[in-house]
Each structure stands twice: as structure tokens, then as C-alpha cells.
Amino acid sequence: EARLLLDRLRRDSRGAVAAVLVAGGAASQVFLGVTPDLVEQGVRAGGLLKALAARFGGGAGGRDDFAQAGIKKMIQTEELVAALKAILAGGTG
């Protein structure tokens, strides 16, 4: 369902990076999508999510437009957003 949601957001948006956080128990999953116009500008979902997962002790993989990560602890939405903003501001991805 997360992949379908991100596909829809990427299709209907421009200039967007969208993330879905699924947190439960002692772990979290993050799904991240990047719109085609940003991919053309060099923004890569796989790179962004690898950098993000590394901050929280997890691993990630994916394509230029879609990636997913497993994180070994439960994280909050606010933590995810702050880390993603910091990574985007630093040019990682």
C-alpha cells in the first residue's frame, strides 16, 4: 500500500520527495518516493534513504525514484522529517 500511495503522489506532483513511515514494535520501515523532475535534477530516492537509514541504524535500497528502508528501532515522524530535511539541505542523495 505504501508503494501505491507513493506512486500516486509521484505521478500527481512535481518537485516532491514523499515518505511513508510504518513504525511498530521495536522497528520501523520507511518508503520514499521522488518525482521524475527531481530525478532528472539528480535527486535519488535510494541515496536519500540510505543516508537517512544510516542515521537511525538501518539499511536501505531501491531505485532512483523509489526506495525502502528497515530501521532497527521505532522512530517518530518528526525525527524522520528533520533528518530528511537535513540530508536534503546538505545535498546528500
Side-chain angles (χ1 to χ4, degrees), residues 52 56 73-85:
L52 185 111
F56 295 107
K73 69 175 194 170
M74 194 165 107
I75 61 171
Q76 301 296 317
T77 304
E78 296 80 13
E79 292 176 284
L80 174 74
V81 170
L84 189 54
K85 284 182 178 180

Side-chain angles (χ1 to χ4, degrees), residues 34-88:
V34 176
T35 55
D37 60 311
L38 289 183
V39 172
E40 288 177 14
Q41 295 174 33
V43 179
R44 305 286 185 250
L48 286 172
L49 203 49
K50 282 180 184 177
L52 185 111
R55 289 180 178 222
F56 295 107
R63 305 181 313 256
D64 290 346
D65 63 339
F66 177 85
Q68 64 187 67
I71 298 173
K72 298 174 185 173
K73 69 175 194 170
M74 194 165 107
I75 61 171
Q76 301 296 317
T77 304
E78 296 80 13
E79 292 176 284
L80 174 74
V81 170
L84 189 54
K85 284 182 178 180
I87 292 165
L88 287 167

